[in-house]
Coordinates of all heavy atoms in Angstrom, one line a residue:
G15 N 0.8 -1.2 0.0 CA 0.0 0.0 0.0 C 0.9 1.2 0.0 O 1.9 1.3 0.7
V16 N 0.4 2.2 -0.8 CA 1.1 3.5 -0.8 C 0.1 4.6 -0.5 O -0.8 4.9 -1.3 CB 1.8 3.8 -2.2 CG1 2.5 5.2 -2.1 CG2 2.8 2.7 -2.5
G17 N 0.1 5.1 0.8 CA -0.8 6.2 1.2 C -0.3 7.5 0.7 O 0.9 7.7 0.3
V18 N -1.1 8.5 0.8 CA -0.8 9.9 0.3 C -1.1 10.9 1.3 O -2.2 11.0 1.9 CB -1.6 10.2 -1.0 CG1 -1.3 11.6 -1.5 CG2 -1.2 9.2 -2.1
Y19 N -0.1 11.8 1.5 CA -0.3 13.1 2.2 C -0.2 14.2 1.1 O 0.6 14.1 0.2 CB 0.8 13.4 3.2 CG 0.8 12.4 4.4 CD1 2.0 11.8 4.7 CD2 -0.3 12.2 5.2 CE1 2.0 10.9 5.8 CE2 -0.3 11.3 6.2 CZ 0.9 10.7 6.6 OH 1.0 9.9 7.7
S20 N -1.0 15.2 1.3 CA -0.9 16.4 0.3 C -0.3 17.5 1.1 O -0.4 17.7 2.3 CB -2.3 16.8 -0.2 OG -3.1 17.2 0.9
F21 N 0.5 18.3 0.3 CA 1.0 19.5 1.0 C 0.7 20.8 0.2 O 0.5 20.7 -1.1 CB 2.6 19.4 1.1 CG 3.3 19.4 -0.2 CD1 3.7 20.5 -0.8 CD2 3.7 18.1 -0.7 CE1 4.5 20.5 -2.0 CE2 4.5 18.1 -1.8 CZ 4.8 19.3 -2.5
N22 N 0.5 21.9 0.9 CA 0.1 23.1 0.2 C 1.2 23.6 -0.7 O 2.4 23.7 -0.4 CB -0.2 24.2 1.3 CG -1.2 23.8 2.2 OD1 -0.9 23.3 3.3 ND2 -2.5 24.0 1.9
T23 N 0.8 24.1 -1.9 CA 1.8 24.5 -2.9 C 1.7 26.0 -3.2 O 2.6 26.6 -3.7 CB 1.6 23.8 -4.2 OG1 0.2 23.9 -4.7 CG2 1.9 22.3 -4.0
S24 N 0.5 26.6 -2.9 CA 0.4 28.0 -3.3 C -0.2 28.9 -2.2 O -0.6 30.0 -2.5 CB -0.6 28.1 -4.6 OG -1.8 27.5 -4.3
D25 N -0.2 28.4 -1.0 CA -0.8 29.2 0.1 C 0.3 29.6 1.1 O 0.7 28.8 1.9 CB -1.9 28.4 0.8 CG -2.8 29.2 1.7 OD1 -2.3 30.2 2.3 OD2 -4.0 28.9 1.8
D26 N 0.7 30.8 1.0 CA 1.8 31.3 1.9 C 1.3 31.3 3.4 O 2.1 31.0 4.3 CB 2.2 32.7 1.5 CG 2.9 32.8 0.2 OD1 3.4 31.7 -0.2 OD2 2.9 33.8 -0.5
E27 N 0.1 31.6 3.6 CA -0.4 31.5 5.0 C -0.3 30.1 5.6 O 0.0 29.9 6.7 CB -1.9 32.0 5.0 CG -2.5 32.1 6.5 CD -3.9 32.5 6.5 OE1 -4.5 32.9 5.4 OE2 -4.5 32.5 7.6
A28 N -0.7 29.1 4.8 CA -0.6 27.7 5.2 C 0.8 27.4 5.5 O 1.1 26.6 6.5 CB -1.1 26.8 4.1
A29 N 1.8 27.9 4.8 CA 3.2 27.6 5.0 C 3.6 28.2 6.3 O 4.4 27.6 7.1 CB 4.1 28.1 3.9
Q30 N 3.2 29.4 6.6 CA 3.5 30.0 7.9 C 2.9 29.3 9.1 O 3.5 29.1 10.1 CB 3.0 31.5 7.9 CG 3.7 32.4 6.9 CD 3.1 33.8 6.9 OE1 2.1 34.1 7.6 NE2 3.7 34.6 6.0
I31 N 1.7 28.8 8.9 CA 1.0 28.0 9.9 C 1.8 26.7 10.2 O 2.0 26.3 11.4 CB -0.4 27.7 9.5 CG1 -1.3 28.9 9.5 CG2 -1.1 26.7 10.5 CD1 -2.7 28.7 9.0
R32 N 2.2 26.1 9.1 CA 3.0 24.8 9.3 C 4.3 25.1 10.1 O 4.6 24.3 11.0 CB 3.4 24.3 7.9 CG 4.3 23.0 8.1 CD 4.9 22.6 6.7 NE 6.0 21.6 6.9 CZ 5.8 20.3 6.9 NH1 4.6 19.8 6.6 NH2 6.8 19.5 7.1
N33 N 5.0 26.1 9.8 CA 6.2 26.4 10.5 C 6.0 26.7 12.0 O 6.7 26.2 12.9 CB 6.9 27.7 9.9 CG 7.4 27.4 8.5 OD1 7.7 26.3 8.2 ND2 7.6 28.5 7.7
T34 N 4.9 27.4 12.3 CA 4.5 27.7 13.7 C 4.1 26.4 14.5 O 4.6 26.1 15.6 CB 3.4 28.7 13.8 OG1 3.8 29.9 13.1 CG2 3.0 29.0 15.2
V35 N 3.3 25.6 13.8 CA 2.8 24.4 14.4 C 4.0 23.4 14.6 O 4.1 22.7 15.7 CB 1.7 23.7 13.5 CG1 1.4 22.3 14.0 CG2 0.5 24.5 13.5
Q36 N 4.9 23.3 13.6 CA 6.0 22.4 13.7 C 6.9 22.8 14.9 O 7.4 21.9 15.7 CB 6.8 22.4 12.4 CG 8.0 21.4 12.4 CD 8.5 21.2 11.1 OE1 8.0 20.5 10.3 NE2 9.7 21.8 10.8
K37 N 7.1 24.1 15.1 CA 8.0 24.5 16.2 C 7.3 24.2 17.5 O 8.0 23.8 18.5 CB 8.2 26.0 16.1 CG 9.1 26.6 17.1 CD 9.3 28.1 16.9 CE 10.2 28.7 18.0 NZ 10.4 30.2 17.8
T38 N 6.0 24.3 17.6 CA 5.3 24.0 18.8 C 5.3 22.5 19.2 O 5.6 22.1 20.3 CB 3.8 24.5 18.7 OG1 3.8 25.9 18.4 CG2 3.0 24.2 20.0
V39 N 5.1 21.7 18.1 CA 5.1 20.2 18.3 C 6.5 19.7 18.7 O 6.6 19.0 19.7 CB 4.6 19.5 17.0 CG1 4.8 18.0 17.1 CG2 3.1 19.9 16.8
L40 N 7.5 20.1 18.0 CA 8.8 19.6 18.2 C 9.5 20.1 19.5 O 10.6 19.7 19.8 CB 9.7 19.8 17.0 CG 9.2 19.1 15.7 CD1 10.2 19.3 14.6 CD2 9.0 17.6 15.9
A41 N 8.9 21.1 20.1 CA 9.4 21.5 21.4 C 9.3 20.5 22.5 O 10.0 20.5 23.5 CB 8.6 22.8 21.9
H42 N 8.5 19.4 22.3 CA 8.4 18.3 23.2 C 9.4 17.2 22.8 O 9.5 16.9 21.6 CB 7.0 17.7 23.1 CG 5.9 18.7 23.6 ND1 5.6 19.0 24.9 CD2 5.0 19.5 22.8 CE1 4.6 19.8 24.9 NE2 4.3 20.2 23.7

């Protein structure tokens, strides 16, 4: 099986959200 994740390609706001969320998550 090959599952799929999609990533945002044209939404700058989504990219900023990802960076903030990733920093919050990996702080643990």
Side-chain angles (χ1 to χ4, degrees):
V16 180
V18 174
Y19 294 128
S20 63
F21 65 85
N22 301 95
T23 57
S24 58
D25 193 328
D26 293 336
E27 183 183 352
Q30 292 175 0
I31 293 174
R32 176 192 169 93
N33 291 336
T34 302
V35 170
Q36 181 166 286
K37 183 177 180 180
T38 301
V39 169
L40 298 184
H42 298 280

